Amino acid sequence: MSEGSKPLIQNTKCECGHQNPPGTVLCEACGKPLTKEAEAQQILEMRYDGVARRSQKANPGFIDKVWNFFSSVKVAIYLILLTLIGSSLGTILPQESTFLNIDPSVYYKEEYGQLGHIYYLLGLSHTYTSWWFVLLLVMIGASLVICSLDRVLPLYKALSRQRIPKHMSFLTRQRVVYQGTVEQDGAEWVERVKPLIKKKGYRVRTDGGTLLAEKQRFSRWGPYVLHIGLIIFLLAVLGRNLPGLHMDEHMAFPEGEPVHIKNTSYYLMNDGFKVEFYTEEDMPNEFKGKGKVLPKKFETEAILYVCESNCNTPGQEPQLKEVTRHNIEVNHPLNYKGLKAYQFDYDLTPILRTVSPMLIDSKTGEQYGKIDLSIKDPVREYKAGDYTLTLTQTFTDFGLGDDGKPVNLSPNPNAPAFLFLIKGPNLPADGIQYFYFPKQVDKERFQQDAINAQLAGGENLVTLDVLSMDDVDFAESTTYLNIRVDKAMPFIWVGAFIGMIGLVMGFYFHHRRIWLRVDDGTLTLGAHTNKNWFGLRREVAAILNQMNIEVDEKSLENNRGSQA
Amino acid sequence: MGKSKKSIQIVILLAIVLIGVYAVATVVFGSDEVPKVGEKAANFELLGMDGNVHTMSEYEGKARVINFWGTYCPPCVREMPALQAQWEKWKDQGVEIVGINVGENKMTVENFVAQTGVKFPILMDPDRDAVASYGVGPMPTTFFVTASGKIHHIRIGELDLDTLDKQIEQLVKAK
């Protein structure tokens, strides 16, 4: 486009008397070429029917200049090219978001060397969430909206206000042209040809000896419908960042406990986790004999609950209602109203929940009674027969500090330990202190019996011990699920669907127009379409032949200027 | 006609600018949810050792020192007496010191508090909700929040009595 060379102020009044807005190429009323460039064209440039774009103004202000910038297709193409280059840069190395737990400032240097570090420093390790990439997307969006508005409104006006009589120079400079003599009066001839054109599916309007036939005008709106679809698509992509519309979390679910999914009212419980391993025979050859353990299939029996009350009240049990259950396998996620849970990983380390050890007399072996000890949330007082046990210290991850005193190493129940004060018959009046390690490994590692003997003054009077596995309640495994919510997805589909409709409108339907006028026994016909000229020529030739005008399809091609 | 055209143009351009600013701002600031000095401190709703639910907003109008700790974190344990001493000094002068225990059960916290003689309010964050909204990484981390709710200073690492005293003094002045 060479708008720059055009004089800004020009006389835009056509000889037919119509006042055209500045920037008009072809008179809005009669189609006469108005500019020198259009005048010089052998075949008229029919883009937007030669109307002025909305932004073409005599004296553009600041707002107009911004508007003009975005209304330019050239700018839009540059923006798209820049975005293409930018997004391809983001594919050179894996993006930060593909890793779960890395420090990008170190990771890229270690993994990819100095170039990797430069890649990170340039911000390309998060290309798609960088300010410049999003700014480019926003500018493309702006360009889409403004380009469309700038063209669709004038085009709509031009097409809905078409005048039937057209200037001779407009007709003879169409790509499909016929000129010949007819014997009848103009108006009569036009009335005769009208039903023939109608039969081809055209809407026909006549005005004396002139005629305008048109079909499938709606295909002209195809690009704009596509643009609306793209804008919805873009807005949906931007809108994903709104709180609550998008979530992508990896969470651990120990067996048998409902776990709250943050920022939702849902709880998900791992009701059982199964994993099958390949036997040595089934294993692919490259893994045979290497002592590898390959899981064949793993499955989480998941139950999804919705919280009905006491949801966000700390210290109160939430009231849960089951909404759905599903066996989650790789590629078979749980899906409930847009909340998806994908199988991601598992851990077969058992986690103790409750132990019910028996208080036993160390000498006689007499069993006094069982206590129920919750590992995660123990209570203060316990009763075992005539004995009372008071919990005085708890450890989730027992260890010894630098000073040799017991300390807690982490909040994770790796090595739970409990210090009781036990009172009862045959014990000192103040009671005795007793350390209890529910896990057998810890009992041995920290020498439970030796510590307790020391605490009790030399010998073990009582012992806490589980008698059978029935007295131990534990989560056999933990499953890791990837919880995803993407509420913007429906809008992305809607946008894509509208875009598709626009593409079909624009690609599979053609806007065809035929103008004709009879002046003193001379018929002049011009026809225009935006694609498939071959089909249009054939239609025009068929109509003319039916009117007893012998004409070859090919001869309708307007080859002025390129005469063979 | 010309005027309405112009105002439509302005409305469309404004909408684009707003959406653009929002989109760029969310990717630039939204990706790291770590609160920074000068920003408003996030709210929380946690169960306290006193059995009541406490929120950040109930301390509105008071300068606040929010300390994230755990019994498994030796520097956290070491700095407890300093916090306790400062709480006693400042509690009548509009300063609240709140300890948020991270990820432990009530029994463990109760025993620890009884042993160390901590009297200032201790809240429990078993699910690490407050940890997430305050973007706490290594512990101890202490947030100094002004009476108007703005983060005045963030201290990562162990506190000592003297610097803590000075920092609280500055915090009170920073109203």
Side-chain angles (χ1 to χ4, degrees):
Chain A
M1 279 188 278
S2 52
E3 291 137 42
S5 59
K6 241 180 274 170
L8 279 175
I9 298 170
Q10 53 187 357
N11 186 9
T12 51
K13 191 161 184 171
C14 177
E15 64 178 41
C16 72
H18 183 78
Q19 179 65 54
N20 290 296
T24 307
V25 182
L26 303 175
C27 171
E28 289 176 341
C30 71
K32 182 182 182 293
L34 294 177
T35 59
K36 281 212 182 87
E37 282 163 22
E39 191 72 55
Q41 282 166 349
Q42 296 297 334
I43 290 172
L44 290 178
E45 169 60 65
M46 286 289 286
R47 204 186 319 172
Y48 313 119
D49 267 29
V51 291
R53 293 206 328 263
R54 213 160 185 196
S55 60
Q56 289 177 330
K57 279 197 180 166
N59 293 306
F62 174 72
I63 297 276
D64 297 316
K65 279 183 179 158
V66 176
W67 191 269
N68 287 356
F69 175 78
F70 283 111
S71 74
S72 155
V73 171
K74 200 155 84 181
V75 168
I77 288 170
Y78 282 127
L79 286 173
I80 292 169
L81 283 179
L82 282 175
T83 311
L84 277 178
I85 295 167
S87 45
S88 64
L89 289 176
T91 63
I92 296 175
L93 293 181
Q95 295 281 297
E96 280 168 36
S97 58
T98 51
F99 305 105
L100 276 185
N101 278 313
I102 57 153
D103 179 3
S105 59
V106 199
Y107 180 83
Y108 283 90
K109 193 166 195 170
E110 277 177 0
E111 198 75 0
Y112 306 106
Q114 196 56 40
L115 277 177
H117 195 57
I118 293 170
Y119 190 80
Y120 160 75
L121 290 177
L122 287 173
L124 292 173
S125 57
H126 54 265
T127 305
Y128 308 113
T129 51
S130 63
W131 64 268
W132 55 267
F133 191 79
V134 174
L135 190 68
L136 275 174
L137 288 186
V138 170
M139 283 169 80
I140 288 180
S143 163
L144 270 175
V145 172
I146 293 175
C147 274
S148 302
L149 281 178
D150 216 38
R151 289 167 174 79
V152 74
L153 296 176
L155 181 64
Y156 176 80
K157 261 193 226 155
L159 290 181
S160 54
R161 286 186 200 157
Q162 287 180 90
R163 278 208 358 209
I164 301 161
K166 286 286 180 187
H167 197 267
M168 197 54 110
S169 65
F170 177 81
L171 294 189
T172 55
R173 292 191 204 181
Q174 294 299 326
R175 262 180 75 181
V176 171
V177 168
Y178 174 79
Q179 256 182 323
T181 51
V182 288
E183 268 130 46
Q184 266 173 311
D185 169 59
E188 272 174 40
W189 195 88
V190 164
E191 282 312 310
R192 257 182 60 213
V193 78
K194 192 176 169 179
L196 298 175
I197 303 181
K198 263 193 174 158
K199 240 186 181 161
K200 301 271 180 199
Y202 286 84
R203 284 184 298 141
V204 185
R205 290 190 290 148
T206 57
D207 182 0
T210 58
L211 174 145
L212 164 60
E214 188 178 12
K215 72 172 169 187
Q216 293 179 357
R217 188 200 283 177
F218 69 90
S219 80
R220 294 293 287 272
W221 314 129
Y224 308 103
V225 173
L226 169 65
H227 286 179
I228 292 171
L230 287 177
I231 289 162
I232 293 174
F233 191 99
L234 270 177
L235 284 177
V237 171
L238 292 176
R240 272 176 99 206
N241 292 329
L242 284 170
L245 284 187
H246 177 65
M247 175 165 77
D248 191 350
E249 298 279 348
H250 295 83
M251 292 178 66
F253 296 88
E255 206 178 64
E257 288 169 47
V259 177
H260 182 215
I261 299 169
K262 272 183 191 164
N263 303 325
T264 69
S265 56
Y266 294 111
Y267 283 70
L268 191 145
M269 183 166 90
N270 166 8
D271 194 35
F273 177 79
K274 277 184 282 193
V275 58
E276 279 173 39
F277 295 98
Y278 279 107
T279 57
E280 192 65 24
E281 300 92 72
D282 290 343
M283 245 186 224
N285 281 333
E286 58 261 50
F287 293 112
K288 270 185 187 159
K290 289 187 179 162
K292 281 211 178 199
V293 181
L294 277 189
K296 191 177 181 180
K297 175 183 166 185
F298 41 111
E299 181 183 84
T300 305
E301 289 169 27
I303 307 177
L304 189 72
Y305 300 94
V306 67
C307 178
E308 293 199 309
S309 59
N310 293 346
C311 299
N312 292 314
T313 331
Q316 290 200 42
E317 266 314 286
Q319 296 296 308
L320 302 180
K321 194 186 106 188
E322 180 180 328
V323 286
T324 187
R325 50 175 75 207
H326 180 78
N327 292 353
I328 303 172
E329 279 175 59
V330 174
N331 293 337
H332 296 282
L334 175 145
N335 188 348
Y336 182 76
K337 291 186 180 169
L339 179 109
K340 289 182 180 167
Y342 292 84
Q343 188 68 53
F344 177 69
D345 199 1
Y346 62 88
D347 182 0
L348 295 179
T349 316
I351 298 173
L352 276 181
R353 265 202 297 261
T354 321
V355 284
S356 306
M358 179 69 82
L359 186 68
I360 305 166
D361 189 304
S362 303
K363 282 182 202 142
T364 63
E366 191 187 336
Q367 301 182 351
Y368 296 127
K370 268 189 210 171
I371 63 166
D372 289 326
L373 178 63
S374 160
I375 305 293
K376 212 177 143 195
D377 205 7
V379 293
R380 179 75 63 194
E381 301 280 342
Y382 301 87
K383 264 208 135 13
D386 294 332
Y387 292 83
T388 57
L389 294 85
T390 312
L391 199 48
T392 55
Q393 272 201 65
T394 54
F395 301 86
T396 43
D397 195 350
F398 185 85
L400 294 174
D402 298 336
D403 53 359
K405 284 189 180 152
V407 289
N408 218 358
L409 297 179
S410 82
N412 310 319
N414 297 333
F418 300 88
L419 181 62
F420 289 100
L421 180 67
I422 307 179
K423 285 184 184 172
N426 301 328
L427 293 179
D430 297 344
I432 55 161
Q433 289 201 304
Y434 186 90
F435 250 115
Y436 177 63
F437 295 91
K439 282 191 179 174
Q440 191 59 37
V441 278
D442 300 330
K443 262 181 202 142
E444 287 158 19
R445 188 153 65 110
F446 299 112
Q447 301 177 354
Q448 180 183 301
D449 291 341
I451 298 176
N452 287 329
Q454 208 179 350
L455 287 172
E459 57 172 341
N460 270 325
L461 303 172
V462 287
T463 312
L464 269 176
D465 207 359
V466 286
L467 299 177
S468 78
M469 282 311 281
D470 294 338
D471 292 331
V472 183
D473 175 34
F474 57 92
E476 284 181 41
S477 54
T478 304
T479 186
Y480 291 88
L481 301 177
N482 176 207
I483 308 287
R484 286 190 200 166
V485 174
D486 208 337
K487 289 193 181 146
M489 216 46 211
F491 295 98
I492 288 181
W493 286 115
V494 166
F497 184 71
I498 293 176
M500 197 64 209
I501 292 176
L503 283 174
V504 169
M505 279 169 72
F507 275 129
Y508 293 98
F509 297 91
H510 323 135
H511 183 211
R512 289 177 182 175
R513 277 178 292 174
I514 303 170
W515 298 268
L516 61 83
R517 56 189 286 172
V518 183
D519 310 87
D520 305 328
T522 307
L523 163 71
T524 310
L525 179 147
H528 179 75
T529 182
N530 49 349
K531 49 181 92 68
N532 192 4
W533 292 89
F534 179 77
L536 176 66
R537 278 196 334 239
R538 198 159 54 175
E539 264 182 355
V540 171
I543 291 162
L544 289 177
N545 286 340
Q546 280 173 308
M547 291 297 290
N548 297 320
I549 298 172
E550 283 300 320
V551 55
D552 179 44
E553 273 177 42
K554 278 180 189 153
S555 70
L556 291 170
E557 173 88 49
N558 186 351
N559 44 16
R560 297 197 324 168
S562 60
Q563 200 85 42
Chain B
M1 176 73 187
K3 260 201 175 154
S4 75
K5 233 187 205 175
K6 183 125 205 166
S7 48
I8 288 172
Q9 274 188 338
I10 292 172
V11 165
I12 291 171
L13 286 175
L14 264 179
I16 290 167
V17 168
L18 280 180
I19 293 174
V21 167
Y22 169 77
V24 173
T26 44
V27 296
V28 172
F29 303 111
S31 52
D32 54 339
E33 282 153 15
V34 182
K36 291 176 195 74
V37 170
E39 287 176 21
K40 201 170 159 47
N43 197 12
F44 53 71
E45 192 182 358
L46 299 170
L47 189 64
M49 289 307 295
D50 57 0
N52 298 325
V53 174
H54 294 273
T55 61
M56 182 65 167
S57 39
E58 81 185 46
Y59 305 113
E60 202 80 47
K62 279 182 169 181
R64 284 150 273 186
V65 178
I66 314 284
N67 174 255
F68 286 86
W69 68 280
T71 63
Y72 45 85
C73 144
C76 304
V77 174
R78 282 198 296 270
E79 72 185 11
M80 278 293 156
L83 284 166
Q84 173 63 26
Q86 291 305 324
W87 177 70
E88 278 164 19
K89 183 182 167 188
W90 288 97
K91 67 177 173 186
D92 298 327
Q93 301 174 51
V95 179
E96 191 62 89
I97 295 183
V98 180
I100 297 182
N101 174 273
V102 178
E104 293 184 280
N105 62 43
K106 191 167 184 260
M107 182 68 60
T108 307
V109 181
E110 231 170 58
N111 292 337
F112 177 83
V113 166
Q115 257 179 28
T116 48
V118 164
K119 297 281 188 303
F120 60 88
I122 297 286
L123 312 181
M124 284 178 299
D125 188 13
D127 299 326
R128 295 160 196 258
D129 296 326
V131 170
S133 50
Y134 276 79
V136 175
M139 284 201 290
T141 296
T142 310
F143 290 82
F144 295 83
V145 180
T146 63
S148 56
K150 290 240 160 64
I151 298 174
H152 180 249
H153 178 69
I154 302 170
R155 162 84 191 182
I156 298 172
E158 195 178 334
L159 301 157
D160 68 78
L161 199 62
D162 295 339
T163 46
L164 183 58
D165 191 33
K166 279 190 201 110
Q167 268 157 352
I168 295 178
E169 222 174 280
Q170 282 172 7
L171 178 66
V172 173
K173 278 186 203 147
K175 271 176 189 177

